[in-house]
Amino acid sequence: MARIVSLLVLLLAWQFASLGASARYLPAPMAVFTAVAAEAQSGALLSNLGATLLRVIAAFALAMILGSVLGVAMGRKRAFDDFADPWVVVLLNLPALVIIVLAYIWAGLTEAAAIGAVALNKLPNTIVTMREGARALDAGLDEMALAFRMPLATRLRHVILPQLAPWLAAAMRSGLSLVWKIVLVVEFMGRPNGVGFEIGTAFQLFDVKLLLAYTLPFVCVMLAIETLLVQKIERRVSRWRPRTA
Amino acid sequence: MNDASPAGGPARLEIAIDDKCFRAVGGGAQTVIAGLSLTLGAGEVGAIVGPSGCGKTTLLRIIAGLDRDFRGRVALPAHGKLGMVFQEPRLLPWRSVEDNVRIAAPDADSADIGALFVTLGLSAHRTHFPGELSLGLARRVAIARALAFEPDLLLLDEPFVSLDATLALRLREEIAELVESRGVTTLIVTHDLDEAIYLADRIFLLAARPTHVVEALHVETPRTKMTESEAARLRTAARKVQGALAQ
Ligand SMILES: Nc1ncnc2c1ncn2[C@@H]1O[C@H](COP(=O)(O)OP(=O)(O)OP(=O)(O)O)[C@@H](O)[C@H]1O
Ligand SMILES: [Mg+2]
């Protein structure tokens, strides 16, 4: 309820602001909605949203899988951690723009370069989070599993993954928002389609209406994924925790 | 089953630990076990009694194969299916009581698990999560888990602590019965001399750190056959050793 009110207030503020400003700089909400409808009708909205979403999913999956494996390995094996940690620190501090530009220079303006660059931006985050998770694994439970000679599959499913789940959820949550923001930049700079590409076009034409017409639906989609999927997963993995207060 | 193995063969539990030391965090090493040896026949119950911090848990971890950083030799009974009740319950907090037992003992059948739950007074808690249990209840789940696994060798690290006296007594009898009927070789750590006397075939009295077996008392009339006079004899013998150690 409070959320709906808050959204309405935002819409109202936007309407008022647009009255004062020229339509070129800030079009009224209704004008933007009409533009959204027009783009949807032509099919351009859906195909661009789809292209961006696919890139988000690909880069996100790549970063999560690679980052989890590397992070857990680093958290468990001290020698590997000592070796790989400097790389992670470098990657963590490398500006997203540098990674993207280098990827495009080295691998050309290709899909692989685009997705790889986004994944590489997200990778160190996942590694650091999952490494913490692996370090926090309960040694007592490990011993218990060992004493009862649990097979690897059982240990993974019932002992290790449930402990890593909150860390995975945290990495996913922070990862998703990071990835979709960077995907737009990558598209802006070197892809012939997607929301980022359309925003680039809008920028060249100084068309704020078109810019918002792509931004709003995309933000809505990402918010929906965030609330429906990520939060549901988070709730599921913490189901066993006794509720406090 | 253990009776398939030749008498005096690998069915016995034979332990000879020459030396076990821990490296302290601040540097240096401290020897926890030195020259400890004990032998337990197939289907026998051994009770380990020793002062706090002497190395009883360390000994069990070595026997269970969880700690291989020691000098010595451990020979387990044949087949070596091992069930362990740790000093802390060590349950999976994200699995229900019943799942905790089933995950560790996937081959146990439902009727057996149900019967175990009844004996241990856990029937009402099957669907609860460990976070919803008292420590005493959690300990019972840990015991149920080890028993459901149907081990050939059962290791128990002070399993009856924080249970009330009646329940502790009942569980003691339960384990005694189990050992009699199934012939599970059992090693139990306890600080309660009476518990040792009423449960064991052999009582191993340990010295303070670095620990070793000071005296191995043989129980002539174990468990159900225990007599007042035998219990008194064992008690006196144990007290004498403990008194001498305390000097
Ligand atoms: N991982 C470890 N690192 C260093 N020292 C340890 C470690 N584990 C145990 N110790 C030391 O070894 C000694 C024996 O510990 P252990 O847990 O085996 O004692 P215990 O006989 O089981 O004691 P209690 O009756 O209190 O359970 C203790 O002095 C303890 O400080
Ligand atoms: Mg102990």
Side-chain angles (χ1 to χ4, degrees), chain B residues 104-190:
Chain B
D107 300 330
D109 71 51
S110 294
D112 286 349
I113 292 182
L116 260 176
F117 280 167
V118 171
T119 318
L120 293 166
L122 289 169
S123 303
H125 302 283
R126 297 179 91 120
T127 57
H128 287 170
F129 285 90
E132 301 170 302
L133 303 177
S134 69
L135 181 57
L137 280 167
R139 282 183 173 286
R140 280 185 260 168
V141 179
I143 295 173
R145 176 174 64 186
L147 294 183
F149 192 59
E150 304 211 329
D152 301 304
L153 174 64
L154 180 61
L155 303 177
L156 302 145
D157 200 344
E158 306 199 24
F160 305 140
V161 174
S162 84
L163 302 180
D164 62 68
T166 358
L167 184 65
L169 211 65
R170 206 170 84 219
L171 285 187
R172 186 207 284 174
E173 272 157 19
E174 198 56 42
I175 288 188
E177 192 174 305
L178 190 95
V179 173
E180 296 272 340
S181 65
R182 283 202 212 146
V184 185
T185 311
T186 303
L187 206 54
I188 180 169
V189 168
T190 175

Side-chain angles (χ1 to χ4, degrees), chain B residues 10-34:
Chain B
R12 277 147 50 106
L13 173 68
E14 288 178 34
I15 297 154
I17 297 168
D18 304 325
D19 174 73
K20 163 72 198 168
C21 55
F22 282 113
R23 275 172 297 280
V25 176
Q30 64 160 337
T31 305
V32 176
I33 302 176

